[in-house]
Amino acid sequence: MNVLIVDDHSIVRMALKNIVTDMNKTSIIDEAINGQEALDKIQNRDYDLIILDISMPGISGFSVLETIKSRNNKSHILVLSMYPQEQYAMRAFRLGASGYLSKDSAYDELAIAIKKISDGGKYITSAFAEKLIFDKKSEYGKVPHEKLSERESQVMIMLAKGIPVSEIAKNLFISGKTVSTYRARILIKMVLRKNADLTLYAIKNNLIE
């Protein structure tokens, strides 16, 4: 089994590598410390399983996930994040992930998720499954950031982090004018007035650190 672990923290990569090795001694395990390195490796090798962090310097995990799936890549992807499932899991699944776990998950749960996903299945925790079944909120009941499109969500998070428009445009391969258009839409949808409001909102809702 070919595995790629994408995370900017060496201790996390080491822990995940140990889990995969314990499960399958013959696995070939590569590592990437950021989104660009991950995309470069994926370009040159096919992976059965990719374990992908969301929050990394430069290209975000979500951008990597979106790029992978846009290339019709058949890798199974487990998104691993410090953020609770309620914040990002549904977005990850919409983009094509096979599973989502927070980094504070127990060793056994990580092992189960990795095994199930590497075998071609999907993995969600029982708590999140219950939320999907019983949460019947209407569009009007959604919190503001849930009303954003995938691209709007990407731009919103970057703006909230204080990333300049020019850098956002470069990272997302779009023009600065397009970023500004997204910004305007985001502020309207979220009923906010300026970037500082986005930052406060994102911090309050645990969307950024």
Side-chain angles (χ1 to χ4, degrees):
M1 180 169 68
N2 289 340
V3 181
L4 177 62
I5 298 172
V6 187
D7 196 291
D8 57 322
H9 295 98
S10 59
I11 191 168
V12 174
R13 296 196 306 274
M14 183 181 299
L16 291 170
K17 189 172 183 177
N18 288 338
I19 293 175
V20 174
T21 301
D22 287 344
M23 294 172 56
N24 188 338
K25 303 294 185 183
T26 63
S27 293
I28 297 174
I29 304 173
D30 287 340
E31 301 177 33
I33 64 173
N34 56 51
Q36 186 58 61
E37 184 178 0
L39 291 175
D40 291 342
K41 287 181 179 292
I42 293 164
Q43 186 74 22
N44 295 313
R45 169 176 279 180
D46 292 328
Y47 293 98
D48 303 296
L49 173 67
I50 299 172
I51 304 175
L52 179 64
D53 184 24
I54 287 178
S55 181
M56 297 180 289
I59 302 174
S60 73
F62 278 130
S63 294
V64 173
L65 176 57
E66 188 173 31
T67 300
I68 291 172
K69 291 305 177 180
S70 71
R71 295 175 179 174
N72 293 316
N73 187 290
K74 303 303 182 183
S75 301
H76 303 299
I77 301 173
L78 170 61
V79 172
L80 196 63
S81 172
M82 72 180 76
Y83 300 110
Q85 292 183 94
E86 289 77 9
Q87 301 296 333
Y88 286 129
M90 186 53 68
R91 183 177 170 196
F93 287 121
R94 283 201 302 264
L95 288 174
S98 296
Y100 184 106
L101 279 176
S102 58
K103 286 186 177 179
D104 60 1
S105 298
Y107 178 100
D108 289 345
E109 186 168 29
L110 279 167
I112 291 170
I114 290 171
K115 176 67 168 63
K116 189 169 184 180
I117 291 170
S118 62
D119 288 341
K122 304 282 186 182
Y123 186 85
I124 58 174
T125 64
S126 57
F128 189 65
E130 289 180 5
K131 179 178 175 62
L132 292 178
I133 293 171
F134 295 111
D135 187 358
K136 302 297 185 180
K137 290 188 299 183
S138 68
E139 181 70 21
Y140 294 104
K142 289 183 178 181
V143 293
H145 71 271
E146 291 179 340
K147 299 177 183 178
L148 302 178
S149 68
E150 298 304 331
R151 181 65 80 180
E152 288 168 348
S153 294
Q154 288 178 315
V155 173
M156 185 271 286
I157 293 299
M158 291 181 174
L159 289 171
K161 288 181 176 180
I163 299 175
V165 169
S166 58
E167 188 173 340
I168 295 174
K170 181 179 179 181
N171 286 339
L172 298 181
F173 304 102
I174 57 179
S175 68
K177 183 177 180 180
T178 301
V179 174
S180 296
T181 299
Y182 278 123
R183 176 183 177 276
R185 290 180 191 169
I186 291 164
L187 292 176
I188 291 172
K189 285 187 178 183
M190 298 183 67
V191 196
L192 298 174
R193 296 188 300 113
K194 53 190 178 182
N195 288 10
D197 296 334
L198 288 174
T199 300
L200 290 173
Y201 177 92
I203 292 173
K204 181 178 178 181
N205 287 275
N206 298 315
L207 300 177
I208 62 173
E209 296 178 316

